[in-house]
Amino acid sequence: GYDAEGSYSPNGRSIVFTSQRDGDLEIYVMDADGKNQRRLTNGKGEDGGPFFSPDGQAILYRGDRRNDQEQNLQLRMVQPDGTNDRALTDNALFNWCPFWHPTGKYFIYTQANHAAPRKGGKINYDLFMADTKGDGLTRVTFEPSFDGLPVFSPDGRRLMWTSKRGDLKEAQVFIADFQMPAAMP
């Protein structure tokens, strides 16, 4: 089966991961030694890409409750015990690859509109940020090609992401200094 997309808790004691062991992609958590595996999500559609918050008190992930993964995914948050599973986005867009800002107050992610490709049939992916309630949506990149898979440095001063900017045929890794957008609360 599929067991992948794992990440450690900040204290290194737990691992959150995606698994298809019950027939649908869901989020699971286990002790770092592989013991005490338990399922956190139970929604219809595929869930994946989980990351613990910097304080270890929440898990951010992508979820497909509409069962139309090719068109849209939503960002969700759940507590490490599986309670308080809630949507942070609710739109007809493809919201993907969420990653926490080190403050734990914000997250960055990739967004695209699969229903409305650009000229030439290409879908544009850009980076956006929001707070942990899903509010304060702010666009971070404005590249007409692919920008995705964002991660912050541990101090939040640098942003690394994958991009095809400059008409690259294959995606490359980019790193830039990061300054919190003024629009973020």
Side-chain angles (χ1 to χ4, degrees), residues 56-67:
Q57 299 301 304
I59 296 168
L60 185 61
Y61 70 98
R62 68 173 188 276
D64 176 26
R65 297 295 182 264
R66 297 175 184 166
N67 246 352

Side-chain angles (χ1 to χ4, degrees), residues 80-99:
D81 65 1
T83 62
N84 200 19
D85 188 0
R86 63 203 179 278
L88 298 174
T89 58
D90 183 18
N91 54 41
L93 301 171
F94 191 81
N95 304 282
W96 180 58
C97 298
F99 193 82

Side-chain angles (χ1 to χ4, degrees), residues 24-26 39 41-47 64-65 85:
D24 185 26
L25 286 179
E26 298 290 349
R39 185 172 169 175
T41 60
N42 291 290
K44 74 173 190 173
E46 298 180 355
D47 298 330
D64 176 26
R65 297 295 182 264
D85 188 0

Side-chain angles (χ1 to χ4, degrees), residues 11-156:
N11 65 12
R13 294 184 190 144
S14 299
I15 297 172
V16 64
F17 63 101
T18 303
S19 179
Q20 197 173 23
R21 64 187 61 197
D22 293 326
D24 185 26
L25 286 179
E26 298 290 349
I27 305 299
Y28 291 76
V29 68
M30 66 182 172
D31 297 344
D33 64 4
K35 295 178 182 171
N36 298 314
Q37 297 179 17
R38 56 204 181 278
R39 185 172 169 175
L40 300 182
T41 60
N42 291 290
K44 74 173 190 173
E46 298 180 355
D47 298 330
F51 286 97
F52 277 97
S53 61
D55 65 4
Q57 299 301 304
I59 296 168
L60 185 61
Y61 70 98
R62 68 173 188 276
D64 176 26
R65 297 295 182 264
R66 297 175 184 166
N67 246 352
D68 60 356
Q69 186 178 34
E70 293 303 315
Q71 291 299 316
N72 64 71
L73 289 171
Q74 301 306 313
L75 302 182
R76 302 185 64 83
M77 191 182 307
V78 66
Q79 303 312 118
D81 65 1
T83 62
N84 200 19
D85 188 0
R86 63 203 179 278
L88 298 174
T89 58
D90 183 18
N91 54 41
L93 301 171
F94 191 81
N95 304 282
W96 180 58
C97 298
F99 193 82
W100 291 94
H101 185 269
T103 63
K105 296 177 182 179
Y106 310 100
F107 59 91
I108 192 165
Y109 64 101
T110 306
Q111 187 180 83
N113 185 348
H114 282 201
R118 293 180 35 242
K119 188 176 181 180
K122 291 185 178 181
I123 297 170
N124 185 33
Y125 294 81
D126 272 303
L127 303 182
F128 288 78
M129 284 187 77
D131 66 21
T132 57
K133 294 178 184 169
D135 296 331
L137 182 65
T138 303
R139 189 172 178 171
V140 176
T141 62
F142 295 84
E143 178 62 27
S145 61
F146 177 84
D147 280 330
L149 304 164
V151 296
F152 285 106
S153 62
D155 63 7

